[in-house]
Amino acid sequence: MTKIPIEKSANPMDYNSKIVSLGSCFAENIGAKLEYFKFDETVNPFGILFNPVSIENIVGRAVHKKLFSDADVFCHNDLWHSYEVHSELSNPNKETLLERLNSILLDFHIQISKATHFQITYGTSWVYRHKASGSIVANCHKVPQIQFDKELLSAETIERAIQNTFDLVREINPNCHFIFTVSPVRHIKDGFVENQRSKSHLIGALHNVINRQLTTITYFPSYEIMMDELRDYRFYAEDMLHPNQTAIDYIWERFAPNYIAENCIATMDEIDGIRKAMSHRPFNPDTEAHQKFLVKLQGRIDKLQLQYPHFKF
């Protein structure tokens, strides 16, 4: 079986780390794993973002505390939206939307400034440009496609966006470590050849930036693992585009030993054991044996929370 070499991080995450993860739905897959094991993480506060320019824009807005205003939102199908964020944040009330966006923005500024690790997963080079404003959007919000032009970002444009994102974070957090990856999700709706072109632009641009910043940026090959180590449709979800849970678990097992400190492993194993025990549903919950099981389980939780008071179960 093919095994892609992965260099161990010189700055691994641990339970003192503060992690920010942005990008495609695969960022949320890895984020869910980190959350499961109780790492301190912020994942996509503005929802899923796929392209490098939209990620650059939202990071720039947060770093410079550029609040959302009336000019940044619009109404469509009885909901207020922003082209810079995901539809999950849309709201029937404009003021409520703006208040929520700006609250998230100010929190995100703090999270960026305190982050020890910044993970970004890029999904695609294909973007939609709003004709009226000339701006690249993060989400079209089901606005008629005639209002947009679809285009493929050049590797040079992507490289600038990635470098700008790196520089923006470093403005308020010069000691942050970066992990970049390209999503293994195939965007076949763009076309088979078009998907490969898209991924190649992302990979080429990323490595040009990484080669300039070798001490603070690493590349995790999630796309390459999916394509070469898991090159079988049994590792895909029903849509044959997204990695299924088996694939996500496998990629996590390739990620964790290289990006998480070894002294966290015992704690992670204990968290996993506690979570599995908590999910156990007894046939007879009132038995003495089950009550003893619950007391023992609570003792394990209490012991872990003495060491890590911020853990919540």
Side-chain angles (χ1 to χ4, degrees), residues 129-291:
R129 190 180 295 275
H130 189 232
K131 290 179 180 178
S133 66
S135 299
I136 290 171
V137 303
N139 196 296
C140 294
H141 302 295
K142 298 183 179 178
V143 172
Q145 192 165 344
I146 195 171
Q147 296 190 30
F148 304 92
D149 288 320
K150 184 178 180 180
E151 64 183 72
L152 182 68
L153 295 174
S154 69
E156 292 75 19
T157 298
I158 295 169
E159 185 177 336
R160 282 196 300 273
I162 295 170
Q163 184 67 54
N164 289 344
T165 302
F166 175 82
D167 292 339
L168 282 162
V169 172
R170 302 273 289 183
E171 279 184 32
I172 60 173
N173 187 346
N175 298 314
C176 189
H177 302 285
F178 288 76
I179 303 165
F180 286 110
T181 190
V182 171
S183 170
V185 178
R186 298 185 302 150
H187 291 249
I188 298 304
K189 67 178 182 179
D190 296 318
F192 287 89
V193 173
E194 289 78 5
N195 174 68
Q196 290 299 93
R197 291 176 66 197
S198 168
K199 299 294 189 183
S200 67
H201 284 201
L202 292 172
I203 293 167
L206 260 174
H207 284 285
N208 284 345
V209 175
I210 291 168
N211 288 340
R212 293 196 294 268
Q213 314 286 349
L214 284 174
T215 58
T216 51
I217 299 178
T218 57
Y219 178 76
F220 176 67
S222 58
Y223 176 75
E224 292 81 356
I225 291 170
M226 193 73 196
M227 294 299 105
D228 287 292
E229 294 188 31
L230 305 178
R231 51 187 179 208
D232 189 301
Y233 276 107
R234 72 179 184 271
F235 295 112
Y236 285 86
E238 289 183 5
D239 64 3
M240 296 299 170
L241 303 176
H242 289 75
N244 62 18
Q245 193 59 51
T246 301
I248 292 167
D249 292 345
Y250 179 90
I251 295 172
W252 167 257
E253 291 301 324
R254 298 286 276 121
F255 176 89
N258 295 291
Y259 286 91
I260 295 176
E262 290 183 14
N263 60 13
C264 295
I265 302 303
T267 300
M268 292 168 68
D269 289 343
E270 179 64 0
I271 290 169
D272 186 43
I274 289 171
R275 281 187 173 274
K276 287 175 178 174
M278 290 175 70
S279 67
H280 174 68
R281 293 292 177 263
F283 289 113
N284 299 293
D286 297 326
T287 62
E288 183 180 351
H290 183 64
Q291 296 308 309

Side-chain angles (χ1 to χ4, degrees), residues 65-113:
K65 295 185 182 179
K66 183 184 176 186
L67 297 179
F68 289 88
S69 68
D70 288 358
D72 301 310
V73 297
F74 67 97
C75 190
H76 178 68
N77 286 343
D78 301 320
L79 288 174
W80 286 87
H81 313 271
S82 168
Y83 280 128
E84 297 181 49
V85 306
H86 195 271
S87 297
E88 68 184 38
L89 293 168
S90 299
N91 194 281
N93 184 278
K94 180 174 74 169
E95 284 69 32
T96 302
L97 173 62
L98 286 170
E99 183 178 337
R100 186 178 182 197
L101 290 177
N102 287 326
S103 175
I104 294 171
L105 182 80
L106 295 175
D107 285 343
F108 190 34
H109 176 91
I110 294 169
Q111 289 153 357
I112 293 173
S113 69

